mmCIF file of all heavy atoms in Angstrom:
data_model
loop_
_atom_site.group_PDB
_atom_site.id
_atom_site.type_symbol
_atom_site.label_atom_id
_atom_site.label_comp_id
_atom_site.label_asym_id
_atom_site.label_seq_id
_atom_site.Cartn_x
_atom_site.Cartn_y
_atom_site.Cartn_z
ATOM 1 N N GLY V 1 -74.716 24.588 19.610
ATOM 2 C CA GLY V 1 -75.233 24.267 18.283
ATOM 3 C C GLY V 1 -74.208 24.323 17.187
ATOM 4 O O GLY V 1 -74.447 23.769 16.085
ATOM 5 N N ARG V 2 -73.097 24.958 17.412
ATOM 6 C CA ARG V 2 -72.044 25.080 16.359
ATOM 7 C C ARG V 2 -71.402 23.748 16.049
ATOM 8 O O ARG V 2 -71.056 23.475 14.897
ATOM 9 C CB ARG V 2 -71.021 26.093 16.767
ATOM 10 C CG ARG V 2 -71.566 27.532 16.852
ATOM 11 C CD ARG V 2 -70.484 28.503 17.282
ATOM 12 N NE ARG V 2 -70.962 29.901 17.330
ATOM 13 C CZ ARG V 2 -71.602 30.430 18.359
ATOM 14 N NH1 ARG V 2 -71.824 29.728 19.462
ATOM 15 N NH2 ARG V 2 -72.021 31.686 18.312
ATOM 16 N N GLY V 3 -71.217 22.921 17.074
ATOM 17 C CA GLY V 3 -70.631 21.607 16.832
ATOM 18 C C GLY V 3 -71.529 20.724 15.985
ATOM 19 O O GLY V 3 -71.051 20.047 15.030
ATOM 20 N N ILE V 4 -72.805 20.761 16.254
ATOM 21 C CA ILE V 4 -73.819 19.993 15.455
ATOM 22 C C ILE V 4 -73.826 20.521 14.039
ATOM 23 O O ILE V 4 -73.847 19.732 13.080
ATOM 24 C CB ILE V 4 -75.176 20.064 16.120
ATOM 25 C CG1 ILE V 4 -75.172 19.345 17.479
ATOM 26 C CG2 ILE V 4 -76.249 19.470 15.203
ATOM 27 C CD1 ILE V 4 -76.386 19.569 18.320
ATOM 28 N N ALA V 5 -73.830 21.851 13.884
ATOM 29 C CA ALA V 5 -73.866 22.425 12.546
ATOM 30 C C ALA V 5 -72.626 22.024 11.725
ATOM 31 O O ALA V 5 -72.739 21.741 10.523
ATOM 32 C CB ALA V 5 -73.959 23.959 12.645
ATOM 33 N N LYS V 6 -71.473 22.014 12.367
ATOM 34 C CA LYS V 6 -70.234 21.641 11.655
ATOM 35 C C LYS V 6 -70.275 20.192 11.161
ATOM 36 O O LYS V 6 -69.834 19.913 10.047
ATOM 37 C CB LYS V 6 -69.039 21.871 12.586
ATOM 38 C CG LYS V 6 -67.701 21.585 11.930
ATOM 39 C CD LYS V 6 -66.536 21.989 12.834
ATOM 40 C CE LYS V 6 -66.378 23.442 12.946
ATOM 41 N NZ LYS V 6 -65.118 23.844 13.659
ATOM 42 N N LEU V 7 -70.831 19.310 11.971
ATOM 43 C CA LEU V 7 -70.949 17.924 11.562
ATOM 44 C C LEU V 7 -71.907 17.765 10.391
ATOM 45 O O LEU V 7 -71.613 17.026 9.434
ATOM 46 C CB LEU V 7 -71.426 17.074 12.731
ATOM 47 C CG LEU V 7 -70.520 16.977 13.960
ATOM 48 C CD1 LEU V 7 -71.195 16.156 15.064
ATOM 49 C CD2 LEU V 7 -69.196 16.329 13.590
ATOM 50 N N ARG V 8 -72.999 18.434 10.432
ATOM 51 C CA ARG V 8 -74.001 18.358 9.342
ATOM 52 C C ARG V 8 -73.469 18.976 8.064
ATOM 53 O O ARG V 8 -73.734 18.455 6.948
ATOM 54 C CB ARG V 8 -75.299 19.028 9.776
ATOM 55 C CG ARG V 8 -76.097 18.176 10.788
ATOM 56 C CD ARG V 8 -77.346 18.872 11.264
ATOM 57 N NE ARG V 8 -78.175 17.981 12.057
ATOM 58 C CZ ARG V 8 -79.062 18.375 12.935
ATOM 59 N NH1 ARG V 8 -79.278 19.676 13.142
ATOM 60 N NH2 ARG V 8 -79.782 17.492 13.620
ATOM 61 N N GLU V 9 -72.735 20.037 8.187
ATOM 62 C CA GLU V 9 -72.131 20.642 6.983
ATOM 63 C C GLU V 9 -71.137 19.717 6.316
ATOM 64 O O GLU V 9 -70.936 19.796 5.097
ATOM 65 C CB GLU V 9 -71.423 21.957 7.372
ATOM 66 C CG GLU V 9 -72.388 23.093 7.699
ATOM 67 C CD GLU V 9 -71.660 24.292 8.332
ATOM 68 O OE1 GLU V 9 -70.424 24.228 8.426
ATOM 69 O OE2 GLU V 9 -72.362 25.261 8.708
ATOM 70 N N ALA V 10 -70.543 18.806 7.087
ATOM 71 C CA ALA V 10 -69.612 17.839 6.557
ATOM 72 C C ALA V 10 -70.336 16.613 5.984
ATOM 73 O O ALA V 10 -69.678 15.687 5.515
ATOM 74 C CB ALA V 10 -68.622 17.396 7.635
ATOM 75 N N GLY V 11 -71.663 16.617 6.018
ATOM 76 C CA GLY V 11 -72.394 15.499 5.462
ATOM 77 C C GLY V 11 -72.691 14.356 6.403
ATOM 78 O O GLY V 11 -73.120 13.289 5.986
ATOM 79 N N ILE V 12 -72.390 14.558 7.671
ATOM 80 C CA ILE V 12 -72.618 13.533 8.695
ATOM 81 C C ILE V 12 -74.083 13.612 9.187
ATOM 82 O O ILE V 12 -74.562 14.704 9.484
ATOM 83 C CB ILE V 12 -71.638 13.698 9.867
ATOM 84 C CG1 ILE V 12 -70.210 13.497 9.374
ATOM 85 C CG2 ILE V 12 -71.958 12.689 10.975
ATOM 86 C CD1 ILE V 12 -69.143 13.807 10.427
ATOM 87 N N GLU V 13 -74.730 12.462 9.287
ATOM 88 C CA GLU V 13 -76.089 12.429 9.793
ATOM 89 C C GLU V 13 -76.026 12.616 11.309
ATOM 90 O O GLU V 13 -75.262 11.952 11.998
ATOM 91 C CB GLU V 13 -76.734 11.101 9.467
ATOM 92 C CG GLU V 13 -78.139 10.908 10.037
ATOM 93 C CD GLU V 13 -78.683 9.524 9.854
ATOM 94 O OE1 GLU V 13 -78.063 8.728 9.090
ATOM 95 O OE2 GLU V 13 -79.711 9.189 10.500
ATOM 96 N N VAL V 14 -76.826 13.569 11.818
ATOM 97 C CA VAL V 14 -76.797 13.894 13.252
ATOM 98 C C VAL V 14 -78.182 13.774 13.832
ATOM 99 O O VAL V 14 -79.122 14.332 13.343
ATOM 100 C CB VAL V 14 -76.243 15.316 13.509
ATOM 101 C CG1 VAL V 14 -76.182 15.585 15.037
ATOM 102 C CG2 VAL V 14 -74.847 15.499 12.897
ATOM 103 N N THR V 15 -78.327 13.022 14.943
ATOM 104 C CA THR V 15 -79.574 12.893 15.727
ATOM 105 C C THR V 15 -79.341 13.532 17.080
ATOM 106 O O THR V 15 -78.353 13.211 17.736
ATOM 107 C CB THR V 15 -79.955 11.410 15.886
ATOM 108 O OG1 THR V 15 -80.105 10.824 14.579
ATOM 109 C CG2 THR V 15 -81.264 11.299 16.659
ATOM 110 N N VAL V 16 -80.234 14.424 17.459
ATOM 111 C CA VAL V 16 -80.064 15.171 18.725
ATOM 112 C C VAL V 16 -81.276 14.908 19.640
ATOM 113 O O VAL V 16 -82.397 14.800 19.164
ATOM 114 C CB VAL V 16 -79.986 16.677 18.418
ATOM 115 C CG1 VAL V 16 -79.747 17.466 19.735
ATOM 116 C CG2 VAL V 16 -78.881 16.972 17.443
ATOM 117 N N GLY V 17 -81.015 14.812 20.929
ATOM 118 C CA GLY V 17 -82.073 14.731 21.931
ATOM 119 C C GLY V 17 -82.400 13.358 22.435
ATOM 120 O O GLY V 17 -83.455 13.148 23.029
ATOM 121 N N VAL V 18 -81.507 12.397 22.263
ATOM 122 C CA VAL V 18 -81.709 11.040 22.784
ATOM 123 C C VAL V 18 -81.395 11.032 24.292
ATOM 124 O O VAL V 18 -80.263 11.386 24.677
ATOM 125 C CB VAL V 18 -80.866 10.002 22.049
ATOM 126 C CG1 VAL V 18 -81.038 8.623 22.663
ATOM 127 C CG2 VAL V 18 -81.256 9.973 20.582
ATOM 128 N N LEU V 19 -82.357 10.681 25.115
ATOM 129 C CA LEU V 19 -82.217 10.757 26.585
ATOM 130 C C LEU V 19 -81.792 12.148 26.999
ATOM 131 O O LEU V 19 -80.929 12.337 27.890
ATOM 132 C CB LEU V 19 -81.279 9.692 27.115
ATOM 133 C CG LEU V 19 -81.645 8.248 26.883
ATOM 134 C CD1 LEU V 19 -80.613 7.311 27.582
ATOM 135 C CD2 LEU V 19 -83.032 7.921 27.426
ATOM 136 N N GLU V 20 -82.405 13.165 26.416
ATOM 137 C CA GLU V 20 -82.005 14.552 26.662
ATOM 138 C C GLU V 20 -82.114 14.957 28.112
ATOM 139 O O GLU V 20 -81.187 15.589 28.658
ATOM 140 C CB GLU V 20 -82.844 15.462 25.787
ATOM 141 C CG GLU V 20 -82.469 16.927 25.887
ATOM 142 C CD GLU V 20 -83.291 17.781 24.945
ATOM 143 O OE1 GLU V 20 -84.344 17.330 24.494
ATOM 144 O OE2 GLU V 20 -82.849 18.952 24.689
ATOM 145 N N ASP V 21 -83.203 14.627 28.771
ATOM 146 C CA ASP V 21 -83.400 15.025 30.182
ATOM 147 C C ASP V 21 -82.324 14.414 31.046
ATOM 148 O O ASP V 21 -81.787 15.064 31.985
ATOM 149 C CB ASP V 21 -84.794 14.612 30.668
ATOM 150 C CG ASP V 21 -85.916 15.429 29.991
ATOM 151 O OD1 ASP V 21 -85.569 16.504 29.463
ATOM 152 O OD2 ASP V 21 -87.051 14.970 30.044
ATOM 153 N N GLU V 22 -82.013 13.131 30.844
ATOM 154 C CA GLU V 22 -80.996 12.449 31.643
ATOM 155 C C GLU V 22 -79.630 13.079 31.413
ATOM 156 O O GLU V 22 -78.839 13.230 32.360
ATOM 157 C CB GLU V 22 -80.972 10.976 31.326
ATOM 158 C CG GLU V 22 -82.176 10.163 31.780
ATOM 159 C CD GLU V 22 -83.306 10.148 30.763
ATOM 160 O OE1 GLU V 22 -83.328 11.091 29.913
ATOM 161 O OE2 GLU V 22 -84.113 9.216 30.754
ATOM 162 N N CYS V 23 -79.339 13.439 30.162
ATOM 163 C CA CYS V 23 -78.028 14.039 29.849
ATOM 164 C C CYS V 23 -77.911 15.423 30.486
ATOM 165 O O CYS V 23 -76.842 15.795 30.978
ATOM 166 C CB CYS V 23 -77.868 14.109 28.353
ATOM 167 S SG CYS V 23 -77.674 12.498 27.548
ATOM 168 N N LYS V 24 -79.007 16.183 30.496
ATOM 169 C CA LYS V 24 -78.966 17.498 31.168
ATOM 170 C C LYS V 24 -78.826 17.368 32.663
ATOM 171 O O LYS V 24 -78.099 18.146 33.297
ATOM 172 C CB LYS V 24 -80.230 18.277 30.786
ATOM 173 C CG LYS V 24 -80.287 18.817 29.362
ATOM 174 C CD LYS V 24 -81.535 19.592 29.134
ATOM 175 C CE LYS V 24 -81.544 20.183 27.728
ATOM 176 N NZ LYS V 24 -82.810 20.970 27.460
ATOM 177 N N ALA V 25 -79.541 16.381 33.231
ATOM 178 C CA ALA V 25 -79.509 16.202 34.679
ATOM 179 C C ALA V 25 -78.088 15.804 35.153
ATOM 180 O O ALA V 25 -77.658 16.243 36.231
ATOM 181 C CB ALA V 25 -80.494 15.125 35.116
ATOM 182 N N LEU V 26 -77.371 15.010 34.353
ATOM 183 C CA LEU V 26 -76.031 14.618 34.742
ATOM 184 C C LEU V 26 -75.149 15.853 34.915
ATOM 185 O O LEU V 26 -74.318 15.915 35.832
ATOM 186 C CB LEU V 26 -75.444 13.721 33.636
ATOM 187 C CG LEU V 26 -74.004 13.304 33.841
ATOM 188 C CD1 LEU V 26 -73.884 12.330 35.017
ATOM 189 C CD2 LEU V 26 -73.422 12.678 32.585
ATOM 190 N N ASN V 27 -75.306 16.856 34.050
ATOM 191 C CA ASN V 27 -74.504 18.091 34.111
ATOM 192 C C ASN V 27 -75.315 19.270 34.575
ATOM 193 O O ASN V 27 -75.191 20.391 34.006
ATOM 194 C CB ASN V 27 -73.895 18.353 32.711
ATOM 195 C CG ASN V 27 -72.733 17.457 32.389
ATOM 196 O OD1 ASN V 27 -71.755 17.380 33.106
ATOM 197 N ND2 ASN V 27 -72.845 16.692 31.314
ATOM 198 N N SER V 28 -76.159 19.055 35.558
ATOM 199 C CA SER V 28 -77.022 20.132 36.043
ATOM 200 C C SER V 28 -76.235 21.329 36.518
ATOM 201 O O SER V 28 -76.657 22.495 36.357
ATOM 202 C CB SER V 28 -77.937 19.602 37.153
ATOM 203 O OG SER V 28 -77.178 19.027 38.218
ATOM 204 N N ARG V 29 -75.087 21.111 37.123
ATOM 205 C CA ARG V 29 -74.258 22.236 37.618
ATOM 206 C C ARG V 29 -73.712 23.047 36.424
ATOM 207 O O ARG V 29 -73.791 24.280 36.414
ATOM 208 C CB ARG V 29 -73.128 21.690 38.506
ATOM 209 C CG ARG V 29 -73.594 21.188 39.818
ATOM 210 C CD ARG V 29 -72.687 20.109 40.392
ATOM 211 N NE ARG V 29 -73.135 19.676 41.709
ATOM 212 C CZ ARG V 29 -74.164 18.848 41.893
ATOM 213 N NH1 ARG V 29 -74.878 18.396 40.896
ATOM 214 N NH2 ARG V 29 -74.519 18.483 43.141
ATOM 215 N N PHE V 30 -73.180 22.349 35.435
ATOM 216 C CA PHE V 30 -72.672 23.023 34.246
ATOM 217 C C PHE V 30 -73.779 23.763 33.514
ATOM 218 O O PHE V 30 -73.611 24.893 33.019
ATOM 219 C CB PHE V 30 -72.024 21.968 33.337
ATOM 220 C CG PHE V 30 -71.489 22.475 32.045
ATOM 221 C CD1 PHE V 30 -70.279 23.131 31.982
ATOM 222 C CD2 PHE V 30 -72.189 22.324 30.866
ATOM 223 C CE1 PHE V 30 -69.751 23.612 30.786
ATOM 224 C CE2 PHE V 30 -71.707 22.785 29.667
ATOM 225 C CZ PHE V 30 -70.470 23.408 29.609
ATOM 226 N N MET V 31 -74.969 23.127 33.431
ATOM 227 C CA MET V 31 -76.099 23.771 32.723
ATOM 228 C C MET V 31 -76.543 25.033 33.465
ATOM 229 O O MET V 31 -76.848 26.036 32.830
ATOM 230 C CB MET V 31 -77.273 22.788 32.651
ATOM 231 C CG MET V 31 -76.992 21.520 31.864
ATOM 232 S SD MET V 31 -76.939 21.842 30.108
ATOM 233 C CE MET V 31 -76.438 20.235 29.453
ATOM 234 N N THR V 32 -76.617 24.978 34.801
ATOM 235 C CA THR V 32 -77.061 26.140 35.575
ATOM 236 C C THR V 32 -76.120 27.321 35.425
ATOM 237 O O THR V 32 -76.552 28.477 35.239
ATOM 238 C CB THR V 32 -77.218 25.770 37.055
ATOM 239 O OG1 THR V 32 -78.168 24.695 37.177
ATOM 240 C CG2 THR V 32 -77.687 26.948 37.886
ATOM 241 N N VAL V 33 -74.824 27.047 35.500
ATOM 242 C CA VAL V 33 -73.820 28.122 35.395
ATOM 243 C C VAL V 33 -73.973 28.830 34.041
ATOM 244 O O VAL V 33 -73.848 30.071 33.935
ATOM 245 C CB VAL V 33 -72.395 27.538 35.595
ATOM 246 C CG1 VAL V 33 -71.362 28.548 35.127
ATOM 247 C CG2 VAL V 33 -72.162 27.166 37.028
ATOM 248 N N ASN V 34 -74.181 28.049 32.974
ATOM 249 C CA ASN V 34 -74.230 28.606 31.642
ATOM 250 C C ASN V 34 -75.579 29.183 31.231
ATOM 251 O O ASN V 34 -75.684 29.933 30.240
ATOM 252 C CB ASN V 34 -73.787 27.570 30.620
ATOM 253 C CG ASN V 34 -72.305 27.334 30.609
ATOM 254 O OD1 ASN V 34 -71.533 28.109 30.048
ATOM 255 N ND2 ASN V 34 -71.847 26.272 31.276
ATOM 256 N N THR V 35 -76.640 28.869 31.975
ATOM 257 C CA THR V 35 -77.946 29.420 31.626
ATOM 258 C C THR V 35 -78.427 30.485 32.633
ATOM 259 O O THR V 35 -79.069 31.446 32.251
ATOM 260 C CB THR V 35 -78.993 28.281 31.557
ATOM 261 O OG1 THR V 35 -79.017 27.555 32.800
ATOM 262 C CG2 THR V 35 -78.637 27.319 30.407
ATOM 263 N N GLU V 36 -78.125 30.296 33.912
ATOM 264 C CA GLU V 36 -78.552 31.228 34.942
ATOM 265 C C GLU V 36 -77.426 32.087 35.504
ATOM 266 O O GLU V 36 -77.658 32.978 36.325
ATOM 267 C CB GLU V 36 -79.270 30.465 36.085
ATOM 268 C CG GLU V 36 -80.469 29.675 35.599
ATOM 269 C CD GLU V 36 -81.330 29.169 36.754
ATOM 270 O OE1 GLU V 36 -81.343 29.822 37.809
ATOM 271 O OE2 GLU V 36 -81.975 28.151 36.570
ATOM 272 N N HIS V 37 -76.205 31.808 35.077
ATOM 273 C CA HIS V 37 -75.034 32.616 35.430
ATOM 274 C C HIS V 37 -74.854 32.717 36.961
ATOM 275 O O HIS V 37 -74.606 33.826 37.484
ATOM 276 C CB HIS V 37 -75.138 34.001 34.780
ATOM 277 C CG HIS V 37 -75.366 33.926 33.296
ATOM 278 N ND1 HIS V 37 -74.429 33.457 32.400
ATOM 279 C CD2 HIS V 37 -76.460 34.245 32.561
ATOM 280 C CE1 HIS V 37 -74.933 33.473 31.181
ATOM 281 N NE2 HIS V 37 -76.158 33.940 31.244
ATOM 282 N N ARG V 38 -75.021 31.633 37.587
ATOM 283 C CA ARG V 38 -74.760 31.520 39.043
ATOM 284 C C ARG V 38 -74.459 30.058 39.312
ATOM 285 O O ARG V 38 -74.744 29.179 38.506
ATOM 286 C CB ARG V 38 -75.988 31.974 39.860
ATOM 287 C CG ARG V 38 -77.233 31.137 39.618
ATOM 288 C CD ARG V 38 -78.262 31.346 40.711
ATOM 289 N NE ARG V 38 -79.497 30.651 40.455
ATOM 290 C CZ ARG V 38 -79.711 29.343 40.695
ATOM 291 N NH1 ARG V 38 -78.717 28.598 41.164
ATOM 292 N NH2 ARG V 38 -80.878 28.780 40.470
#
């Protein structure tokens, strides 16, 4: 969330969550390591 916050603080319009499920599925391994710590 810090990257998004930095962009918005700079006055850039930010849209989040476009094809969110597909984007998460692509990095399912990275997501699991960082959320379930295994």
